[in-house]
Amino acid sequence: MANPLIAIVGRPNVGKSTFFNKVVGRKISITDDRAGVTRDRLYADSEWRGKAFSIVDTGGIELRSEDTMWKEIKKQAEVAIDTAQVIMFFVDGREGLTTSDYDVADMLRRSKKPVILVVNKIDEYSEEKVFEFYSLGLGEPYAVSAEHGTGIGDVLDEAVSWFEKSENVEDESIKIAVVGKPNAGKSSLVNKLLGFERSIVTNIAGTTRDAIDTKFTYDGRNYTIIDTAGIRKKSKVEDDVEYYSVMRAFDAVRRADVCLLVVDCADGLTEQDTKIIGYVHEQGKPSVVVMNKWDLIEKDTNTINKFEAGLKEDLKFMDYFKSVYISAKTGQRTEKILSIVDEVYAHAHHRIATGVLNDIISDAVRANEPPSYNGRRLKVYYSSQVAVAPPTIVLFVNSSDLLHFSYQRFLENVLRKSFDFSGTPIKILTREKNGD
């Protein structure tokens, strides 16, 4: 059973993200004094007094604005309100009531959901500071200072009182991080996979600023998809907000089970794409190279082979890569992505029986002896797989210094020929055993 959901809503810059970060206990949502920084819905799990719940931060609602981005933010907030069990409505205790507050209050009343009115930025409580907010007709206002952490416990007490007791279910979903450069089509792909418009999709680079987790089920299997901000070159990351969003994109890679690198076919695999997937490789994550916008490429019978040859050349350091050619816009071949995700996930979790592994390594060493250095030769006494995701093999040897990179690569290729580890890196480590 899914955790009950709290949605944090309100007009821009009233401290919603600061409160969200305090409750979750780590800096997930971007906090900045510019309106419109938190654009999409941002989810996290938390707990209060033994009750587990999920909490969603939303972009500020400006109901009267005709700006395209504000209209999109309003639509996102409405989705959060529809799916939440409890709504926290944030207002600014320093600025006082505004017309926008009344507009949002009217919208929330129509939702028929429990609404907790939170008056933020009250550093020193007094009745006079919160009295005017009774006029919103949403019951007792709760005075808090999200920045200083005061009053948060009372608000959470009220929120969880609306929940039925629920057991915290361990998340066994496959977590998929969608990464790539700005405007490669990541959010469009996410929306196609989910079947509804969950991330804001516009032609403005950098629209998705936060890493957003969305759980869904497909063909009886649970997934969590993480849509991330486009990762630019460092020289182009001048804005602090964008810097933090790039950091969160890298964090999304670290906590993912599988990464989708979305590439614009028209641009081909750029230096920046190669750096991003290099980071995925270094983190030991299975991955799929998703060549997007394939519908825009002029093709002949050899086009896909030319693209594959280019990928093999650019990705020599990870020749195990899996690729798929799609159009997120038209839906072409997007239905194949989740089956490939399942495949590379399974490869990353494959275990080789110790006896079989030792037979394969022994045969390889006999067929191609390690080169000698200064009269000494590497001896492999035995081997063992000690971990999965990525598959990690430990060789017990006479001297770790004698395992040259080229011979390690040879052993990796032997393992890949014996087992299908496509889409996932393999780690080969050494431990020294006494003897020579």
Side-chain angles (χ1 to χ4, degrees), residues 12-15 91-95 119-124 129 144-147:
N13 205 24
V14 293
V91 291
D92 190 326
R94 288 183 199 155
E95 189 178 337
V119 184
N120 192 25
K121 305 182 185 179
I122 303 291
D123 299 332
E124 291 184 13
K129 289 179 180 177
V144 306
S145 170
E147 187 177 357

Side-chain angles (χ1 to χ4, degrees), residues 178-190 201-206 227-231 260-268 270 273 276 290-296 326-329:
V178 184
V179 297
K181 294 188 308 177
N183 278 346
K186 298 181 300 299
S187 292
S188 297
L189 174 59
V190 169
V201 181
T202 70
N203 58 3
I204 307 167
D227 186 10
T228 64
I231 304 173
L260 301 180
L261 175 72
V262 183
V263 178
D264 185 334
C265 281
D267 296 338
T270 65
D273 290 318
I276 293 168
V290 180
M291 303 296 285
N292 190 27
K293 307 185 184 179
W294 189 239
D295 56 314
L296 303 180
I326 68 142
S327 168
K329 186 176 180 180

Side-chain angles (χ1 to χ4, degrees), residues 179 250 253 261 269 271-285 287 314-315 317-318 320 425:
V179 297
F250 283 138
V253 170
L261 175 72
L269 198 71
E271 180 186 356
Q272 183 65 0
D273 290 318
T274 305
K275 285 181 179 176
I276 293 168
I277 198 147
Y279 180 79
V280 172
H281 169 74
E282 288 167 9
Q283 293 296 312
K285 302 295 182 179
S287 58
D314 293 331
L315 299 176
F317 63 93
M318 49 170 290
Y320 58 82

Side-chain angles (χ1 to χ4, degrees), residues 353-409:
T354 302
V356 173
L357 177 63
N358 278 280
D359 287 345
I360 291 169
I361 297 294
S362 297
D363 289 347
V365 171
R366 275 195 297 270
N368 182 12
E369 277 199 332
S372 60
Y373 296 94
N374 297 323
R376 300 182 69 211
R377 194 183 300 276
L378 178 77
K379 291 181 181 177
V380 181
Y381 299 114
Y382 59 94
S383 53
S384 176
Q385 182 175 350
V386 297
V388 296
T392 304
I393 311 298
V394 172
L395 307 177
F396 292 86
V397 300
N398 56 333
S399 174
S400 296
D401 294 338
L402 295 176
L403 179 61
H404 190 268
F405 170 77
S406 60
Y407 197 76
Q408 180 176 322
R409 192 65 185 260

Side-chain angles (χ1 to χ4, degrees), residues 47-269:
E47 187 181 55
W48 182 252
R49 299 195 185 281
K51 293 183 179 179
F53 60 89
S54 298
I55 189 164
V56 54
D57 187 13
T58 66
I61 306 172
E62 285 284 10
L63 295 180
R64 300 191 182 198
S65 174
E66 293 302 312
D67 181 86
T68 301
M69 184 61 74
W70 287 119
K71 285 181 179 178
E72 291 287 348
I73 289 171
K74 175 176 177 278
K75 191 160 66 175
Q76 296 295 318
E78 286 172 345
V79 173
I81 290 165
D82 286 345
T83 55
Q85 278 70 51
V86 177
I87 299 162
M88 291 184 182
F89 175 32
F90 269 64
V91 291
D92 190 326
R94 288 183 199 155
E95 189 178 337
L97 273 172
T98 68
T99 304
S100 290
D101 290 329
Y102 283 105
D103 290 343
V104 177
D106 287 341
M107 183 178 86
L108 295 179
R109 267 194 297 273
R110 288 195 296 273
S111 74
K112 307 294 185 186
K113 301 281 182 76
V115 178
I116 302 168
L117 178 58
V118 182
V119 184
N120 192 25
K121 305 182 185 179
I122 303 291
D123 299 332
E124 291 184 13
Y125 177 79
S126 70
E127 267 192 34
E128 291 75 21
K129 289 179 180 177
V130 299
F131 184 77
E132 66 172 320
F133 293 97
Y134 278 98
S135 64
L136 290 171
L138 294 172
E140 181 185 353
Y142 284 79
V144 306
S145 170
E147 187 177 357
H148 297 111
T150 57
I152 291 176
D154 292 338
V155 172
L156 291 176
D157 282 345
E158 176 65 14
V160 299
S161 71
W162 290 94
F163 302 155
E164 293 181 1
K165 288 185 180 179
S166 61
E167 293 182 2
N168 194 9
V169 179
E170 188 177 345
D171 183 8
E172 294 181 351
S173 64
I174 297 176
K175 296 167 192 64
I176 308 167
V178 184
V179 297
K181 294 188 308 177
N183 278 346
K186 298 181 300 299
S187 292
S188 297
L189 174 59
V190 169
N191 292 336
K192 188 63 70 173
L193 291 175
L194 293 174
F196 64 95
E197 209 170 295
R198 202 270 312 134
S199 275
I200 297 171
V201 181
T202 70
N203 58 3
I204 307 167
T207 300
T208 304
R209 295 195 174 196
D210 290 306
I212 311 156
D213 293 19
T214 303
K215 297 182 190 303
F216 69 104
T217 300
Y218 178 78
D219 204 17
R221 192 157 198 179
N222 296 323
Y223 302 88
T224 299
I225 200 158
I226 310 166
D227 186 10
T228 64
I231 304 173
R232 300 174 190 261
K233 289 183 179 178
K234 274 189 181 177
S235 61
K236 294 186 178 179
V237 182
E238 298 170 354
D239 187 309
D240 281 346
V241 173
E242 185 168 359
Y243 171 79
Y244 285 118
S245 67
V246 169
M247 290 302 99
R248 263 184 296 280
F250 283 138
D251 180 64
V253 170
R254 285 192 291 272
R255 60 193 176 90
D257 296 313
V258 177
C259 295
L260 301 180
L261 175 72
V262 183
V263 178
D264 185 334
C265 281
D267 296 338
L269 198 71

Side-chain angles (χ1 to χ4, degrees), residues 17 179 198 302 319:
S17 295
V179 297
R198 202 270 312 134
N302 205 34
D319 54 8

